[in-house]
Amino acid sequence: MSKKNSQDKLLIFALGGVGEIGKNMYCVQYGNDIVVVDAGLKFPEEEMLGIDVVIPDIAYLLENRDKVKAILLTHGHEDHIGGLPYVLKQLNIPIYGTKLTLGLVENKLKEAGLLGDTKRILITEDSELTFGTIKASFFRTNHSIPDSVGVCLETPEGNVVHTGDFKFDHTPVNDQFADLQRMAEIGSRGVLALLSDSTNAERAGYTPSESNIGREFESLFRSAKQRVVVATFASNVHRIQQVINAAAETRRKMTVIGRSMVNVVNIASELGYLNIPEGMLIEPEEVNKLPADRVVILSTGSQGEPMSALTRMARSTHRKVDILPGDTVIIAATPIPGNERYVGRTVDELMRLGASVIYGPGSVSGVHVSGHGSQEELKLMLNLMRPEYFIPIHGEYRMLRHHGLLGESVGIPKENIFLLDIGDTVEIQNGAARKAGKIPSGNVLIDGLGVGDVGNIVLRDRKLLSQDGILVVVVTLSKQDGTIMSGPDIISRGFVYVRESEGLLEEANRIVTSTLHKLMNENVNEWASLKTNVKDALGRFLYEQTRRRPMILPIIMEV
């Protein structure tokens, strides 16, 4: 262990991934050394109108950029690596990841033009790294993507363990077994603080093995009389291998559609993480040339995303593939909370086209199991590590709370369990831990090429526009005497249909005119005052008449 400085403290904090699902980013700081674990993104919530993705606010890391030594990646899912292109543009530091994880990252960095500028270091579960006073080692875990690892950070204050996303799958698809022996060894050396995945903390029992899905796929493929379409997460490499295996067993050819799915299949097969029999893959254009019972279509769209391949097929707007009556569509994923409505709409549209649709939780359909451990597996991790302090991570607050209760059930004192919000810090000095102050944190919203230029005020305006529309009032005044030379012209968008509301808009026009005349008679000629009074008078009138509050945008010009 590195030499301990009596003045230094160990800080543990999350810039994302606590109280939410997604944009995972966790930091461990001792003295002048900061190590970051993961840099993910999350997809926007319903009220984030027009936003593409959400990433963590890294203001604290930018303020302390000389102290940030590395980003360690636990695995290659979007909620753990998706924020890297945005983070690395501002903070060019080395990233460390396993083979498949780096392969997926490199594709993202290439698209962002950062590949040549970013130092990427390959690690295995046997790697040992030193970052000043912090040493890092790793242990293999099971998850729904290969090459997943947990991280042990050895600090002068004690060992901090981050589990990454995990389950205990005793019959993994790729024969990469979780390294329970190493986890037990880490626990026997002493764990000061454990940060552990809470996603399934509300689910009793054990999460079933991914290998169960393979048998179900094979059965469904055999019974399907026509084409089979399988939609799943592009990054669920184990699930993709199961589809390939079932297709091979039932002598079907396979095509891959959806940009992210094509990228993952290409990268994973090049790196040896997917075993695709020679001659199995065909181009989408060849689908209609083969007998219907000899084709499998692997697609994106398991969450009902509007622009995904499956959704476009369901709406008959996909350029290359149509859903035909009698096709079997398998949605091999559980909807992320908030996406249920989109998935339901896609299922409805597929059924209208005559497809047989298999969907729903794994216990119902048999075509999905989670990549995260349930309560008994979470307790096993806690018992292997036996931490002095426990910090549940990666989950909404209720999941963190349930995980905290599991910690108590295996003997961790309640006062040693910390439930964090984003930006909270746990400070440990001389073995004693306490919740300390907050650091700058929050969401950075990505809209097109704009990073962080859309904030709460812009979102509020977008919400207002989406609810009640906008009225633009254009008036031209004389520079000499302030009289109205033209207008007011009123333009309505999303408020009322002009041809059916002529009386309302004529009265609105009259109110604007009388308001301006009154102000001029009172010698009020400042543009700000004119605009404010017009907005107030017109807003009151429109609310009285319609009970709506459109955005009113006065434009006053002088000639």
Side-chain angles (χ1 to χ4, degrees), residues 125 253 283:
E125 64 266 24
K253 300 283 188 182
E283 294 298 323

Side-chain angles (χ1 to χ4, degrees), residues 478-543:
S478 167
K479 203 176 257 187
Q480 279 75 33
D481 54 14
T483 56
I484 297 174
M485 296 187 65
S486 72
D489 295 319
I490 297 180
I491 302 160
S492 168
R493 291 290 182 271
F495 172 55
V496 291
Y497 184 48
V498 174
R499 290 184 183 176
E500 294 176 358
S501 306
E502 289 177 356
L504 178 72
L505 294 181
E506 283 174 7
E507 183 63 18
N509 194 310
R510 189 191 65 73
I511 285 171
V512 174
T513 304
S514 65
T515 301
L516 287 171
H517 281 149
K518 181 184 174 192
L519 292 168
M520 289 164 197
N521 291 336
E522 295 172 358
N523 291 321
V524 176
N525 51 21
E526 290 179 359
W527 284 19
S529 297
L530 295 176
K531 288 181 178 182
T532 300
N533 280 275
V534 166
K535 281 174 70 174
D536 291 347
L538 191 53
R540 279 195 303 272
F541 166 72
L542 293 174
Y543 184 74

Side-chain angles (χ1 to χ4, degrees), residues 1-12 28-31 33 132-135 152-161 189-194 387-389 426-434:
M1 188 179 290
S2 304
K3 190 175 179 183
K4 185 173 177 181
N5 184 330
S6 60
Q7 301 302 312
D8 285 332
K9 303 168 186 174
L10 174 64
L11 293 180
I12 302 170
V28 173
Q29 177 175 0
Y30 187 84
D33 302 311
T133 56
I134 301 175
K135 293 180 180 179
C152 178
L153 297 174
E154 185 182 335
T155 78
E157 195 66 52
N159 292 340
V160 179
V161 173
R189 293 201 307 266
V191 173
L192 178 67
L194 173 68
E388 188 171 345
Y389 297 104
V426 173
E427 179 185 289
I428 305 176
Q429 190 173 31
N430 299 323
R434 67 183 186 92

Side-chain angles (χ1 to χ4, degrees), residues 238-256:
H238 294 326
R239 189 71 45 84
I240 294 169
Q241 185 66 62
Q242 304 272 49
V243 174
I244 293 166
N245 295 347
E249 287 294 323
T250 55
R251 295 186 298 116
R252 289 176 182 260
K253 300 283 188 182
M254 187 177 83
T255 191
V256 183

Side-chain angles (χ1 to χ4, degrees), residues 257-259 284-288 307-323:
I257 57 176
R259 181 167 167 266
E285 294 83 357
E286 299 176 67
V287 166
N288 294 327
M307 296 307 294
S308 67
L310 183 65
T311 304
R312 284 184 285 137
M313 285 189 276
R315 293 175 180 167
S316 301
T317 57
H318 196 278
R319 289 183 296 116
K320 294 177 180 177
V321 179
D322 291 318
I323 297 293

Side-chain angles (χ1 to χ4, degrees), residues 65-84:
R65 62 172 64 243
D66 294 338
K67 299 178 182 178
V68 184
K69 301 298 191 272
I71 299 178
L72 310 181
L73 303 174
T74 59
H75 64 284
H77 279 157
E78 283 292 295
D79 57 337
H80 294 259
I81 66 170
L84 278 172

Side-chain angles (χ1 to χ4, degrees), residues 460-472 492-496 504 535-553:
R460 185 197 65 197
D461 287 348
R462 288 181 180 182
K463 188 175 183 184
L464 184 60
L465 286 168
S466 72
Q467 289 173 337
D468 292 329
I470 184 171
L471 276 187
V472 182
S492 168
R493 291 290 182 271
F495 172 55
V496 291
L504 178 72
K535 281 174 70 174
D536 291 347
L538 191 53
R540 279 195 303 272
F541 166 72
L542 293 174
Y543 184 74
E544 287 168 4
Q545 297 297 314
T546 66
R547 287 296 184 269
R548 293 183 229 158
R549 299 187 191 276
M551 181 180 287
I552 298 170
L553 192 62

Side-chain angles (χ1 to χ4, degrees), residues 4 30 197 353 371 446:
K4 185 173 177 181
Y30 187 84
D197 174 16
L353 294 174
I446 310 294

